[in-house]
PDB file of all heavy atoms in Angstrom:
ATOM      1  N   GLN A 395      -1.876  87.073  25.089  1.00 98.00           N
ATOM      2  CA  GLN A 395      -1.964  87.037  23.661  1.00 98.00           C
ATOM      3  C   GLN A 395      -2.606  85.719  23.278  1.00 98.00           C
ATOM      4  O   GLN A 395      -2.156  84.631  23.522  1.00 98.00           O
ATOM      5  CB  GLN A 395      -0.611  87.135  22.983  1.00 98.00           C
ATOM      6  CG  GLN A 395      -0.664  87.110  21.434  1.00 98.00           C
ATOM      7  CD  GLN A 395      -1.471  88.310  20.872  1.00 98.00           C
ATOM      8  OE1 GLN A 395      -1.114  89.418  20.976  1.00 98.00           O
ATOM      9  NE2 GLN A 395      -2.658  87.964  20.191  1.00 98.00           N
ATOM     10  N   TRP A 396      -3.712  85.802  22.620  1.00 98.00           N
ATOM     11  CA  TRP A 396      -4.413  84.723  22.035  1.00 98.00           C
ATOM     12  C   TRP A 396      -3.844  84.331  20.661  1.00 98.00           C
ATOM     13  O   TRP A 396      -3.153  85.282  20.104  1.00 98.00           O
ATOM     14  CB  TRP A 396      -5.976  84.890  21.717  1.00 98.00           C
ATOM     15  CG  TRP A 396      -6.694  85.020  23.094  1.00 98.00           C
ATOM     16  CD1 TRP A 396      -6.459  85.874  24.248  1.00 98.00           C
ATOM     17  CD2 TRP A 396      -7.852  84.113  23.509  1.00 98.00           C
ATOM     18  NE1 TRP A 396      -7.337  85.501  25.156  1.00 98.00           N
ATOM     19  CE2 TRP A 396      -8.219  84.551  24.739  1.00 98.00           C
ATOM     20  CE3 TRP A 396      -8.562  83.216  22.843  1.00 98.00           C
ATOM     21  CZ2 TRP A 396      -9.261  83.979  25.393  1.00 98.00           C
ATOM     22  CZ3 TRP A 396      -9.620  82.570  23.479  1.00 98.00           C
ATOM     23  CH2 TRP A 396     -10.037  82.945  24.705  1.00 98.00           C
ATOM     24  N   PRO A 397      -3.976  83.136  20.172  1.00 98.00           N
ATOM     25  CA  PRO A 397      -3.423  82.802  18.769  1.00 98.00           C
ATOM     26  C   PRO A 397      -3.940  83.794  17.823  1.00 98.00           C
ATOM     27  O   PRO A 397      -5.105  84.132  17.790  1.00 98.00           O
ATOM     28  CB  PRO A 397      -4.009  81.275  18.535  1.00 98.00           C
ATOM     29  CG  PRO A 397      -4.167  80.828  19.896  1.00 98.00           C
ATOM     30  CD  PRO A 397      -4.552  81.908  20.761  1.00 98.00           C
ATOM     31  N   THR A 398      -3.097  84.326  17.020  1.00 97.00           N
ATOM     32  CA  THR A 398      -3.519  85.321  15.936  1.00 97.00           C
ATOM     33  C   THR A 398      -3.774  84.610  14.642  1.00 97.00           C
ATOM     34  O   THR A 398      -4.349  85.360  13.742  1.00 97.00           O
ATOM     35  CB  THR A 398      -2.288  86.411  15.751  1.00 97.00           C
ATOM     36  OG1 THR A 398      -1.090  85.571  15.423  1.00 97.00           O
ATOM     37  CG2 THR A 398      -2.014  87.076  17.089  1.00 97.00           C
ATOM     38  N   SER A 399      -3.549  83.426  14.469  1.00 97.00           N
ATOM     39  CA  SER A 399      -3.779  82.684  13.306  1.00 97.00           C
ATOM     40  C   SER A 399      -5.176  81.904  13.401  1.00 97.00           C
ATOM     41  O   SER A 399      -5.410  81.056  14.192  1.00 97.00           O
ATOM     42  CB  SER A 399      -2.724  81.671  12.928  1.00 97.00           C
ATOM     43  OG  SER A 399      -3.143  80.700  12.028  1.00 97.00           O
ATOM     44  N   TRP A 400      -6.029  82.253  12.420  1.00 98.00           N
ATOM     45  CA  TRP A 400      -7.386  81.540  12.413  1.00 98.00           C
ATOM     46  C   TRP A 400      -7.237  80.027  12.141  1.00 98.00           C
ATOM     47  O   TRP A 400      -7.976  79.291  12.636  1.00 98.00           O
ATOM     48  CB  TRP A 400      -8.357  82.205  11.444  1.00 98.00           C
ATOM     49  CG  TRP A 400      -9.613  81.512  11.355  1.00 98.00           C
ATOM     50  CD1 TRP A 400     -10.122  80.868  10.167  1.00 98.00           C
ATOM     51  CD2 TRP A 400     -10.590  81.253  12.347  1.00 98.00           C
ATOM     52  NE1 TRP A 400     -11.293  80.203  10.473  1.00 98.00           N
ATOM     53  CE2 TRP A 400     -11.620  80.426  11.765  1.00 98.00           C
ATOM     54  CE3 TRP A 400     -10.672  81.481  13.661  1.00 98.00           C
ATOM     55  CZ2 TRP A 400     -12.677  79.992  12.542  1.00 98.00           C
ATOM     56  CZ3 TRP A 400     -11.669  81.108  14.436  1.00 98.00           C
ATOM     57  CH2 TRP A 400     -12.724  80.313  13.850  1.00 98.00           C
ATOM     58  N   THR A 401      -6.151  79.744  11.394  1.00 98.00           N
ATOM     59  CA  THR A 401      -5.979  78.297  11.148  1.00 98.00           C
ATOM     60  C   THR A 401      -5.750  77.480  12.350  1.00 98.00           C
ATOM     61  O   THR A 401      -6.212  76.466  12.553  1.00 98.00           O
ATOM     62  CB  THR A 401      -4.661  78.192  10.147  1.00 98.00           C
ATOM     63  OG1 THR A 401      -4.921  78.851   8.915  1.00 98.00           O
ATOM     64  CG2 THR A 401      -4.436  76.729   9.884  1.00 98.00           C
ATOM     65  N   ARG A 402      -5.056  78.036  13.331  1.00 98.00           N
ATOM     66  CA  ARG A 402      -4.886  77.463  14.647  1.00 98.00           C
ATOM     67  C   ARG A 402      -6.173  77.185  15.336  1.00 98.00           C
ATOM     68  O   ARG A 402      -6.498  76.154  15.814  1.00 98.00           O
ATOM     69  CB  ARG A 402      -3.926  78.299  15.482  1.00 98.00           C
ATOM     70  CG  ARG A 402      -3.830  77.922  16.971  1.00 98.00           C
ATOM     71  CD  ARG A 402      -2.945  76.759  17.280  1.00 98.00           C
ATOM     72  NE  ARG A 402      -3.027  76.538  18.668  1.00 98.00           N
ATOM     73  CZ  ARG A 402      -2.263  77.037  19.623  1.00 98.00           C
ATOM     74  NH1 ARG A 402      -1.496  78.059  19.240  1.00 98.00           N
ATOM     75  NH2 ARG A 402      -2.404  76.692  20.871  1.00 98.00           N
ATOM     76  N   TRP A 403      -7.091  78.283  15.405  1.00 98.00           N
ATOM     77  CA  TRP A 403      -8.373  78.028  15.972  1.00 98.00           C
ATOM     78  C   TRP A 403      -9.098  77.075  15.209  1.00 98.00           C
ATOM     79  O   TRP A 403      -9.771  76.157  15.834  1.00 98.00           O
ATOM     80  CB  TRP A 403      -9.109  79.469  15.819  1.00 98.00           C
ATOM     81  CG  TRP A 403      -8.657  80.562  16.692  1.00 98.00           C
ATOM     82  CD1 TRP A 403      -7.396  81.189  16.679  1.00 98.00           C
ATOM     83  CD2 TRP A 403      -9.363  81.232  17.717  1.00 98.00           C
ATOM     84  NE1 TRP A 403      -7.334  82.197  17.596  1.00 98.00           N
ATOM     85  CE2 TRP A 403      -8.523  82.244  18.256  1.00 98.00           C
ATOM     86  CE3 TRP A 403     -10.591  81.127  18.174  1.00 98.00           C
ATOM     87  CZ2 TRP A 403      -8.972  83.080  19.280  1.00 98.00           C
ATOM     88  CZ3 TRP A 403     -11.125  82.013  19.182  1.00 98.00           C
ATOM     89  CH2 TRP A 403     -10.223  83.028  19.767  1.00 98.00           C
TER      90      TRP A 403
END
Side-chain angles (χ1 to χ4, degrees):
Q395 180 62 63
W396 288 57
T398 57
S399 165
W400 174 242
T401 301
R402 166 80 181 278
W403 290 61

